[in-house]
Amino acid sequence: RRSFHLTCSLNNTSRKNIVPPLDTFGRRHIGPSKKEQEYQLSTLGYKDFESFLNDVIPENVRANGNNNKHFPLINTDKSHTAPNYSESEFGELVENVANKNQLVKTLIGMGYYNVKIPPAIIRNVFENPEWYTQYTPYQAEISQGRLESMMNYQTMITDLTGLSISNASLLDEATAAGEAMVMVMGSDRKKRKTFLVDSKIYPNTLSVLRTRARGFEIDVKVVDISTEVIKANEKDAFGILVQYPGADGSIFDYSHLASTAHASNMRVVAATDLLALTLMKTPGEWGADVAVGSTQRFGLPMGFGGPHAGFFACNDEFKRKMPGRLVGLSKDRLGNPAYRLALQTREQHIRREKATSNICTAQALLANMSAFYAIYHGPEGLRQIAARIYAITNVLKCGLESAGFKILNKNHFFDTLTINVQSADALIKRALAHGYNLRKVSDTSISISMDESITNEDLSQLFNVFQISSSPEAFTEKLNSGKSVNTVDELVVSAFPKELQRQTPYLQHIVFNRYHSETELMRYIRYLQSKDLSLAHAMIPLGSCTMKLNAVSEMNPVSNPKFANIHPYAPKDQVQGYEFLINDLELMLTNLTGFDAASFQPNSGASGEYTGLSVIRAYQKSIGEDYRNICLIPVSAHGTNPASANMAGLKVVSVKCLNNGNLDLDDLKVKAEKYSDNLAAFMVTYPSTFGIFEHGVKETLSIIHENGGQVYFDGANMNAMVGLCKAGELGADVCHFNLHKTFCIPHGGGGPGAGPICVKSHLADFLPSSPVVKCGGTKSIGSVSSSPYGSASILPISWAYMRMMGLDGLRDASKAALLNANYMAARLAPYYKLVYSNENNRCAHEFILDAREFKATASIEATDIAKRLQDYSFHAPTLSWPITNTLMVEPTESESMYEMDRFCDALISIRQEIREIEEGKQPKDNNLLTNAPHPQKDLVSEEWNRPYSRERAVYPVPILSERKFWPTVARLDDAYGDKKFVLYLRSYAVK
Amino acid sequence: RRSFHLTCSLNNTSRKNIVPPLDTFGRRHIGPSKKEQEYQLSTLGYKDFESFLNDVIPENVRANGNNNKHFPLINTDKSHTAPNYSESEFGELVENVANKNQLVKTLIGMGYYNVKIPPAIIRNVFENPEWYTQYTPYQAEISQGRLESMMNYQTMITDLTGLSISNASLLDEATAAGEAMVMVMGSDRKKRKTFLVDSKIYPNTLSVLRTRARGFEIDVKVVDISTEVIKANEKDAFGILVQYPGADGSIFDYSHLASTAHASNMRVVAATDLLALTLMKTPGEWGADVAVGSTQRFGLPMGFGGPHAGFFACNDEFKRKMPGRLVGLSKDRLGNPAYRLALQTREQHIRREKATSNICTAQALLANMSAFYAIYHGPEGLRQIAARIYAITNVLKCGLESAGFKILNKNHFFDTLTINVQSADALIKRALAHGYNLRKVSDTSISISMDESITNEDLSQLFNVFQISSSPEAFTEKLNSGKSVNTVDELVVSAFPKELQRQTPYLQHIVFNRYHSETELMRYIRYLQSKDLSLAHAMIPLGSCTMKLNAVSEMNPVSNPKFANIHPYAPKDQVQGYEFLINDLELMLTNLTGFDAASFQPNSGASGEYTGLSVIRAYQKSIGEDYRNICLIPVSAHGTNPASANMAGLKVVSVKCLNNGNLDLDDLKVKAEKYSDNLAAFMVTYPSTFGIFEHGVKETLSIIHENGGQVYFDGANMNAMVGLCKAGELGADVCHFNLHKTFCIPHGGGGPGAGPICVKSHLADFLPSSPVVKCGGTKSIGSVSSSPYGSASILPISWAYMRMMGLDGLRDASKAALLNANYMAARLAPYYKLVYSNENNRCAHEFILDAREFKATASIEATDIAKRLQDYSFHAPTLSWPITNTLMVEPTESESMYEMDRFCDALISIRQEIREIEEGKQPKDNNLLTNAPHPQKDLVSEEWNRPYSRERAVYPVPILSERKFWPTVARLDDAYGDKKFVLYLRSYAVK
Ligand SMILES: Cc1ncc(COP(=O)(O)O)c(C=O)c1O
Ligand SMILES: Cc1ncc(COP(=O)(O)O)c(C=O)c1O
Ligand SMILES: O=C([O-])O
């Protein structure tokens, strides 16, 4: 109706709004009302926020002046404050931005395809907070639904790739390939350092491999793979990678290649396509040791490049070395089957600088969606989809050949044809005029990839594009040897090359064969969901995870086809909406925090760390300081920090902490000076992982700079700082943001995430780039993930948050987060020891409760408290991190007084339960905590030889009898734990 | 991308589709696979469907030829079959149809306003199958969530209207007014027959009143209401109705009027606006006895007219006479508070022809959404929304007056101004050019209604439309007596007329004051939902209710703004999408069933019945047979049938049934002949409400015709017939369709629904019309509901279903529904007596299980079985209807073998439990059934003096220990029942 000029509208704050809209967002996002905040402040003894903040944040840390002028969310805005959009205004704004993207059917392929996402999966999973608001399922007893779903996912991946183990997803195809390269290198007894990559690799994957290789000093050699080449490189090469089918669409039988490689003790990695694997011999069968790829075309929107689940499957050999989370079937204490995360000893949070992977946040939600896609279609349905694509590709090929076009991948193909043309540009222009984007391969060749979405009409249009005179029908009949058929599916059986045909069954388990009606699928999804505690049920006070509201108005744009259905390599003029949004987000993030440029390519915090350190190293190299290789990291740092440093080729030196939790400035100084010659970087988390705004931060960071190092700022705790302090001003050179923490992207049960980094101007030239699309720095480190802007399609969530909050709202959120944490800390302090607080007795946005003393007094550990909290229908705080046997609580600003009080009441009641053990009223080995959680099965048993009543076990506070979320299994048997477990569903016959 | 020419595309089946899409819908909608159906047939002893159908449907009932040619879904389609659209094709199609509607901001008002629906309510309620797929909460123990929500709704209505009782919604404002008129007439001791309606009534409401009045021989007199007029009519008039605020926007204090009316023993009905009532003195306070209206502007999309909840509140006096469902707070057997439907003795299913209301399906989902809207905003938030609207209207008024316009409702107003203009047409055209629809009142007056959505920009634009030279800002300052303010909210306090100001508090209960953050609202919604069993959990085999899949691709269009945000009185050229869709749906429905025309105005089955009978009467009157006033109705008919007949002014004569369940043809013949002179109509349900395709139907219907009557066909059981038999061909003259049964509109927990009627050509002229929009017959009966096309915005659901199934798919669905029912009946027959079956031992799409014998053998009634089924996590079948102490099972085609088997297993297991009582192994007064259901609270108690184990109580079959849905309260105390209950939440102070 109205022509809404975006830039103008974004900046128009001059005109007085006499009837401002009432659907403002801030008060919906922030839990406590203004009045309740006054009460909270008063309980802490403050009259106003200012005096409270003075006690929490050191003066020299708060941003200079602390006024809006100092936080110009958008430069062009004369008033220096970004206007905050109401929810309905934002709806209009984002619709306008989306409409700047153009939906052109894109057949560019290269790992991204048009898909048909079953509507039941969109509504019941993708748009359902009970699926997207959870954290990683570390609390297994209240996460059996997602764990089962991830098990389904792992089974799907192992079945389709023909390998024996799959993890529960990695960030994308290219990083999965990177992980594979590093993993197989690590297994090479001969310590060889060359990795042979076939030239048919996707360019983005190659770019990521090259970047990754740098930190490990691997030589990535691109070759036209052959047995000869393998033999010629056997002295140096520890492994090979082939793309199967290749980037040009060709398919080869790699059996011979694989055995040649194995003969030289090389490992074989296949980057592959799950859909093709329903027709093709699996990598496992022809001898690959590892298979990686993306599940995008299993029901995930292209989303301008992501998020998508990267899959990773391998042989048993790598079981204890593979990266990523693994779900295993174990049992609970009652002996009932129960799922849990398995073999965590592989992961960065345990191995730290010895880890070769820093993966933490992965792509759980997307992996689950893909699993449901496979469940809905079943083995036969998937095969049909693949067969239809193959058949369509055949018809197109016949047509092209009849019109005299030469197909360059002439041996075998699945969905992609590379075609010789007179002028690629002319043809691409012609295709565009017909409504299609094709891929330019060279000046005289293009390629085209068929997918699930292709219709009869598309086929006819493509015939027009190539000016093929006869009709698709004619070729169909011809291909069917004259038989006139109504579908080309039958073609496949005869046409697909015998030696490449898949002969092995897959997805035989009942789970892939029962839920083929929408009703059954919906019920299965909802059944799984009913086992999982999410933000839709209760607060999830995970310290360092910032589990805040993921509002519907923030989530809505992600479902908009004009964001969802955009190929990452679509021409620039078709993606103006994304460009605007990403630029605007960059502007806001950098302005807010005092940096100069950003990259959105990293799709997790850990990936941001690795990227930031790589950028630092590239910068140092550019000024002739590539000898700098020491990274100082506080002992309190998150495991991803040392792991990332290791991946970036840095040597980690730990810095101590004082008894009061603060960084040991003396130790830092000593080490900075000691390593001064080689000091590359210091990684700091601020406020600290102990939840304190340390005084010394500015001093600390100048020590680093004085000793020639760069400062990497881990932004995981940014929620304490937005609008109040600026990392750039404190001295950071690089900083990552976990948009899935501070900026409202939901955690999805363990991903997706987005971990953009912001840098100071001297580092901007080195930011990640893409081999396909112009982006990033001029002296870029290369790519760090598959797509130019990482998990692009979820960036609108953070953008929505910032645009609807405005600067004032963002600051209000930080203030509320600080107040909520201190309110809870004060309520709990009489009952639990707080591990650290500052000199004013205040914490930042989170605090740590000590459980260590209970070991001696009651044989109780933090885990027991965590499990007992489940009986109170709560998710535990972060357990034993960063300090063993503690609980770290972070309420975030979104939690209401009501919920925080409920949670405190639960913890206080548990303290009383512990006291009963301490006082000998409950035995140490049979009490409310050690037996926790109490699932329904426990309750139902006839015998009840516990020193407490059933009622007390499950309804320890009255409200639970009305409003209870049940753990579905008893405590997982940790002893049984990692020894006996199953990583995929054992197939059993379908009736 | 592609220009998609709709008509062409809809009919284009000539071109061969060589790559038909795989995302076909039928196999997702229908539970059992083809293979499973073969198995089902074989268990019944059939080799193919044809022989099965021959045993189920009498030959002379199956549609002639039974080929596709006989069911031309669309006339223009040469092939005579409608193509079935795949889900993705349909997505494109419906998008194109939606785009034919134009979003022009419509300020026409008249009961329909732009709203801002909180996104959290859209996603978590409106688009959440756990809220929209339930049936009416008759099984209270597994419906406490919705019952609580409806209680919130009732509290909201009583609080806002100032009256003491509210029902749980009626169909819309106009029908609520009709119900009020009839109810107050019924209470008039003097049996007066005139109803005075103030001229400021909405025209659509007046039209419905006039139609309704006919059946009850009420004289509706439109007057300019005043104390004089009241006195002048005191001999004849039993009541008055005023619109408050009036249609022209004016507000008067009706206190004096009300006392005058009361002095003459007249009752006062106020049609009113909930939002205005946050500022205005309530009808209760000024003396109204009844208040009615629509909750549309409390967070419901305009949707081209509906569905919206009609509200109905009244004095205690009418407690046992008021129409509609009532939720009451009662207690369960353990003494815990529990909600239930109260005072059911008022309703049609009990009172039958003595009922003056036929309401059955109402607007539960919409009522719940409105309640959540009020909960989210709270009393202060609602007042702010109203105040802002009032303030904006003030600014506009000042502007208009400054430009010399005369305001016609010059006394007081809330949101609407009626304005004198030179040429209404010219002004409306000018407004449209600026992007606004205004209301034409007369050639020289227009009106304009402000609403929640109005922005600063809108206000400026409206100033432009009226060429007001100064700015809105200027008037704001003026209105604030020179004070320059940034918001006009403050205006209200001073400007709103003192004598009309609301002084009483409202929505003080905690539920309206706690859930104001999105996190809290989401959790409250999800908490309530967790108490309710829906189709997302298990089958709901309610006979006669057809609880089939409500697929996401069918539901999606309802959320499309181009369907949702359309005003019912938008100019015709702006609603071409709706026109196309409704025409197409009419074509499909009439062609499928052998009729000639349809009306979509009735928004429930019962409303369809009443409409159809009224049409028959109008027709008979037109041929001089208005003396015909007898309606024959089988004793087995649904309660709505006799109630509807009564409302249409017909005298009901019952027709007997035989022992085998069939209609007693002899009795019918006798009565038809006996009443031949006055026979108006016969109402028939087919297949019968006993679930049988009776042989005699054609003969029966000709008997009626021979005796001068018309045949009304109750289409509730249409799901057994679609694509197999044609009601029109069997002899029906009118037929209603419950689109919320056969055609996939979800039941929403008791509404919305749509009950269009189809008629033969001789009746077409009499179909309902609208006083505002051209539609319906030339000799129309007038309106039967508020808006021209009833619940227009949910019609896309049924349209989607028909378009995606195509004719073949629709027939497949009927066949599957018949097969599923017979499969279950056969599995259960060895355990339970089936009350009826046909001569081949077959039922239609449903069957009745007999529980009567268990009374003697085990003191068990059908209710006990129903409650025990809850322990098995199932919803009971239809209880004691149409026969007391029986259970009627209807699986529908959407249920899978797996689910039906689970359900049969449960019933078989329950039969075994009954046998234990019969055999004396369990006492008659303390057993698994009489104590059912067993909620968690039951289980938790320390004492357990039952003759069965806890485990058997709650996990009687193994799967339940994994997958259990829990009843949340014990059995409702029916004795306590209707005596002591509370119909609204007692307010208690907010902390
Ligand atoms: C302090 C800190 N740094 C880094 C990370 C890693 O972030 P991500 O999970 O996004 O990779 C986390 C995650 O919890 C963290 O808490
Ligand atoms: C046979 C029959 N007729 C009429 C109706 C009334 O339909 P509605 O609830 O849509 O008013 C029903 C409802 O269950 C029914 O079963
Ligand atoms: O679909 C749901 O939002 O639960």
Side-chain angles (χ1 to χ4, degrees), chain A residues 123-125 127-130 526 529, chain B residues 123-125 127-130 526 529:
Chain A
R123 176 161 289 192
N124 293 302
V125 183
E127 297 178 349
N128 182 348
E130 295 191 39
R526 300 257 160 194
Q529 137 193 350
Chain B
R123 176 162 289 193
N124 293 301
V125 183
E127 297 179 348
N128 183 348
E130 296 191 39
R526 300 257 162 193
Q529 137 193 350

Side-chain angles (χ1 to χ4, degrees), chain A residues 232-247:
Chain A
N233 285 277
E234 78 181 335
K235 279 241 317 273
D236 303 320
F238 59 83
I240 66 173
L241 183 149
V242 292
Q243 186 100 31
Y244 175 73

Side-chain angles (χ1 to χ4, degrees), chain A residues 135-136 171 325 348 358-362 543-545 603-609 636-641 685 687 689 714-717 736-741 747 753-755 846 881 888:
Chain A
Y135 196 67
T136 310
L171 294 169
R325 292 169 187 138
Q348 42 70 25
N358 64 351
I359 185 85
C360 179
T361 286
S544 203
C545 298
N603 31 27
S604 73
S607 174
E609 295 167 21
S636 60
H638 193 261
T640 50
N641 291 8
T685 306
T689 55
D714 181 329
N717 289 347
H736 81 252
F737 295 84
N738 306 67
L739 298 187
H740 46 297
K741 297 179 177 179
H747 283 76
E846 62 191 5
W881 189 84
M888 182 157 66

Side-chain angles (χ1 to χ4, degrees), chain A residues 137 146 150 168-169 309 325 362-369 747-752:
Chain A
R146 258 156 322 135
M150 289 176 173
S169 81
R325 292 169 187 138
Q363 301 281 14
L365 184 69
L366 297 311
N368 288 333
M369 284 178 66
H747 283 76

